[in-house]
Amino acid sequence: DAGGDPSSAELTITVTNHVFKEINGIEDLQAIWTGNNAVSRQNLTNNYILMTDIDLSGVTFGTIGIADTDGIGLSGTFDGNGHKISGVKMNVGWNGGFFARIESTGVVKNLHLESGTGADDGVQTIYGGALVGFLYGRVENCFVNVRVYTSHASQPIGTLAGTLQEGGVIVNSIAIGQAVFTGDRSAAEHGSGFISSGSASQITSSFVLDTTVDGSIGYNKVADENIVKTETELKTATTFEGWDSSIWTISEGSYPALIPNCTSGQADA
């Protein structure tokens, strides 16, 4: 009101937390989740940015969060900043992954996750996935080359995610790690996929290597040629039309590669 008292005007200010805590090594990564305690639960609400490659070879490392349907997971953002976490070797149990859960406000992006290919390397799980067990939030611009294995031949596993819940999305991401079942699969109804279970409609411009899985979705071994691609297709630049060239290097004849420090300007020490 132009003629009113300016002192009575209401001012609404929205403050968004854009502060990113830097991850500069193994200790910083391990400190995010030290168990089900108040500090760790608070840590899952924070935003993080990876400032360097990290090799977990020989390091005891457990899943980040609790993977139950009533568990707790990342509700902030974990920005891999184009860097690689390698040497992944962990037993995450039912519905687990490197991140147990990503909540509805949670985001994991710009991360390269990798394991070796030995019999004990990678992520051992039941109905889980390499990067995340329960996905309620967003995975974007991630490259996952993690061996995922289980001795429960009747349960599905995912080379990127476990259960893609309602509201969860996967965008511009790729998985090329091998899924392995060590038990008898002769009567198995389910198998391996890009995700263990969920809807392909929540997956956008994201792909899995055909020789590593039974299909796009492990549950009922669902096949989808829009998601399951050959090595040749995954090394063809046109497959990745629309992917951000400031985050990815896309070259003919190679898998796409994340650009290190692609988003480090967001960090606030």
Side-chain angles (χ1 to χ4, degrees):
D1 183 356
D5 182 356
S7 65
S8 66
E10 292 185 358
L11 176 64
T12 300
I13 300 176
T14 301
V15 178
T16 303
N17 178 15
H18 288 302
V19 176
F20 281 73
K21 295 178 178 291
E22 293 185 357
I23 302 295
N24 288 296
I26 291 173
E27 290 184 359
D28 290 342
L29 188 63
Q30 289 176 315
I32 296 175
W33 182 260
T34 60
N36 190 13
N37 55 66
V39 172
S40 290
R41 291 194 297 271
Q42 176 61 41
N43 286 344
L44 292 176
T45 70
N46 294 333
N47 300 322
Y48 299 93
I49 186 164
L50 190 59
M51 302 302 293
T52 185
D53 292 347
I54 294 178
D55 186 356
L56 294 177
S57 298
V59 176
T60 300
F61 191 87
T63 185
I64 298 174
I66 300 174
D68 297 331
T69 52
D70 57 351
I72 183 171
L74 180 75
S75 57
T77 294
F78 188 99
D79 186 346
N81 193 23
H83 287 294
K84 180 192 299 184
I85 298 175
S86 60
V88 173
K89 184 177 180 180
M90 54 204 305
N91 184 344
V92 298
W94 278 91
N95 303 115
F98 187 85
F99 293 92
R101 292 166 54 113
I102 298 173
E103 305 294 349
S104 59
T105 59
V107 178
V108 173
K109 63 181 182 178
N110 310 331
L111 177 64
H112 183 141
L113 191 68
E114 187 170 288
S115 77
T117 57
D120 296 325
D121 289 326
V123 172
Q124 182 178 5
T125 184
I126 308 164
Y127 218 128
L131 179 63
V132 56
F134 283 111
L135 177 55
Y136 296 85
R138 186 177 185 89
V139 167
E140 184 172 15
N141 294 320
C142 288
F143 187 103
V144 180
N145 185 8
V146 173
R147 179 178 180 269
V148 183
Y149 66 105
T150 184
S151 59
H152 288 250
S154 62
Q155 301 296 335
I157 52 176
T159 55
L160 189 131
T163 301
L164 182 53
Q165 299 280 9
E166 184 176 354
V169 294
I170 301 171
V171 180
N172 295 3
S173 296
I174 182 173
I176 63 170
Q178 185 68 51
V180 178
F181 291 85
T182 59
D184 179 13
R185 299 189 68 198
S186 58
E189 179 181 357
H190 310 302
S192 57
F194 187 58
I195 60 175
S196 295
S197 64
S199 172
S201 66
Q202 295 163 242
I203 301 171
T204 301
S205 190
S206 297
F207 313 108
V208 64
L209 179 59
D210 64 345
T211 56
T212 63
V213 292
D214 295 313
S216 54
I217 302 172
Y219 191 85
N220 285 336
K221 301 179 184 176
V222 176
D224 188 334
E225 63 182 10
N226 292 315
I227 298 171
V228 181
K229 300 292 185 181
T230 65
E231 181 177 349
T232 298
E233 289 175 310
L234 292 178
K235 293 182 177 180
T236 300
T238 54
T239 299
F240 306 99
E241 288 182 0
W243 285 33
D244 192 336
S245 61
S246 70
I247 294 174
W248 295 95
T249 296
I250 298 173
S251 303
E252 203 68 31
S254 301
Y255 290 121
L258 287 162
I259 300 171
N261 302 315
C262 56
T263 56
S264 55
Q266 296 181 26
D268 189 346

